[in-house]
Amino acid sequence: ITASEYIQDPMLYNGYKFHLRLYVVVLVTPSYSKAWIKNTGVIVPAGEPFTNGDYDNAQIHDSHMSKNPQLLGLYPRDLPTGNNYIAPINDMLARALTVMLPLVSKYDESKNGYDLFGVDVMLTTAGVPLLLEFNRFPGFVTEPAYVNPQFDTSMWKMELFDTVILSVTAEIFGLGAVD
């Protein structure tokens, strides 16, 4: 099932179509739900340089971590003017989360719960963010074959997990905001 039209004008990363894998942490309590959007993520390129056409060639049009692991990058660090897209992406995700948060639940036997989602976003050449999907399984880069030597996965994963633990813990114990 196709849910949207093909994106004809994707922003390119080193000549490749790409999407951003970002992360959202959701906390569910008995009285409310809250989400944190991580402002760093992974740049995930397609397998071959982009050309508009040849739509049967998935290597050009389909971006996955396994397609071109040597080009994986960190967002926003490795994307020129990457910081310019943080606010528009956060605005788009905040709107999506207003619909999604009521659907996230915890186990009945738990007082509080949290979930971590991988969120795929594509940018157009005009810098407009387009939500591709929320993934229940966040898809961390863990296999050595996927690792770009310039891509420090251990540091990135530690920062991501610190965000999860600190954000949820601070909220549960009333310690205030954590970035």
Side-chain angles (χ1 to χ4, degrees):
I1 295 175
T2 302
S4 67
E5 291 183 20
Y6 181 80
I7 299 165
Q8 297 285 335
D9 61 340
M11 183 179 286
L12 302 181
Y13 173 67
N14 296 328
Y16 293 78
K17 183 177 178 179
F18 71 95
H19 73 269
L20 302 173
R21 169 56 62 92
L22 304 174
Y23 298 90
V24 173
V25 179
V26 175
L27 170 69
V28 179
T29 73
S31 56
Y32 67 94
S33 296
K34 183 174 182 176
W36 291 267
I37 300 168
K38 184 72 178 149
N39 287 323
T40 57
V42 183
I43 300 169
V44 184
E48 295 179 10
F50 179 75
T51 57
N52 205 351
D54 193 10
Y55 299 113
D56 292 330
N57 185 346
Q59 287 292 100
I60 294 172
H61 301 284
D62 194 11
S63 52
H64 285 284
M65 289 188 187
S66 62
K67 295 251 182 194
N68 207 343
Q70 68 277 11
L71 280 182
L72 287 175
L74 288 178
Y75 169 79
R77 182 193 77 185
D78 297 335
L79 188 63
T81 66
N83 286 324
N84 295 349
Y85 311 113
I86 291 173
I89 288 172
N90 285 351
D91 290 344
M92 176 198 60
L93 291 177
R95 288 191 309 274
L97 284 163
T98 61
V99 174
M100 192 181 114
L101 277 179
L103 304 175
V104 179
S105 61
K106 61 179 184 56
Y107 292 112
D108 290 337
E109 62 272 8
S110 299
K111 179 179 176 188
N112 300 304
Y114 76 92
D115 213 336
L116 175 64
F117 294 92
V119 181
D120 293 343
V121 174
M122 188 173 284
L123 296 165
T124 67
T125 55
V128 175
L130 302 170
L131 178 61
L132 300 178
E133 63 182 339
F134 269 80
N135 295 284
R136 184 65 189 263
F137 302 102
F140 296 114
V141 180
T142 56
E143 296 184 30
Y146 289 3
V147 178
N148 174 337
Q150 298 176 358
F151 187 83
D152 184 355
T153 57
S154 61
M155 192 61 119
W156 169 73
K157 284 188 273 187
M158 187 174 8
E159 180 187 340
L160 180 62
F161 283 115
D162 283 352
T163 298
V164 172
I165 299 303
L166 290 174
S167 298
V168 172
T169 303
E171 181 69 20
I172 290 172
F173 292 105
L175 302 175
V178 176
D179 288 329

